[in-house]
């Protein structure tokens, strides 16, 4: 392992907002309003109409919210009898930024 690789690894371990599930060459894209605390994410369901999540869930990392959206999409796939290509779960951060769109039937 080269000196540059070791330095990058050391920088990653010292970064407070690093999400280990993201690319190791960049910091986490989304951080909570309170440094290091959980952030609320909303999971809107989109089809022909949009159903907005008014409660949301708290996660400490954006990647955890994306993984949760993937689980939701899998649950809907099991329950839905007809394939609807426009059906998707949209992950929205508490800052109102859309961070991910997970199609249910991809």
């Amino acid at each position: 392992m080269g000196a540059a690789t070791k330095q990058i690894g050391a920088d990653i371990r010292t970064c407070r907002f690093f999400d280990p599930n993201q690319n190791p060459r960049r910091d986490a894209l989304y951080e909570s309003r309170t440094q290091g605390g959980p952030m609320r994410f909303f999971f809107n369901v989109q089809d022909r109409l949009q159903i907005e999540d008014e409660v949301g869930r708290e996660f400490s990392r954006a990647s955890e919210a994306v993984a949760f959206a993937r689980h939701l999409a899998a649950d809907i796939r099991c329950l839905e009898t007809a394939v609807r290509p426009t059906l998707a779960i949209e992950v929205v951060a508490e800052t109102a930024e859309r961070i991910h769109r997970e199609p249910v039937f991809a």
Side-chain angles (χ1 to χ4, degrees):
M1 186 180 315
T5 307
K6 287 181 183 176
Q7 180 60 40
I8 290 171
D11 291 342
I12 288 171
R13 285 189 297 277
T14 59
C15 179
R16 293 185 337 173
F17 305 114
F18 179 71
D19 184 341
N21 297 314
Q22 290 183 337
N23 183 338
R25 297 194 186 277
R26 64 180 176 168
D27 293 339
L29 296 175
Y30 306 95
E31 58 190 58
S32 66
R33 291 181 191 160
T34 59
Q35 303 292 333
M39 184 174 182
R40 186 162 294 277
F41 294 91
F42 300 91
F43 301 90
N44 302 331
V45 178
Q46 290 186 325
D47 198 4
R48 283 181 236 118
L49 300 174
Q50 180 171 340
I51 301 170
E52 291 191 6
D53 179 4
E54 296 178 0
V55 178
R57 286 185 68 148
E58 288 188 349
F59 293 98
S60 52
R61 296 184 176 112
S63 61
E64 293 172 353
V66 170
F68 183 74
R70 289 184 176 144
H71 289 288
L72 284 176
D75 287 346
I76 293 172
R77 250 190 320 275
C78 291
L79 297 172
E80 189 62 40
T81 57
V83 174
R84 295 167 30 199
T86 58
L87 186 60
I89 307 292
E90 183 179 74
V91 182
V92 179
E94 65 185 5
T95 58
E97 286 182 85
R98 187 178 105 173
I99 62 168
H100 183 73
R101 185 174 191 277
E102 183 68 30
V104 174
F105 299 100

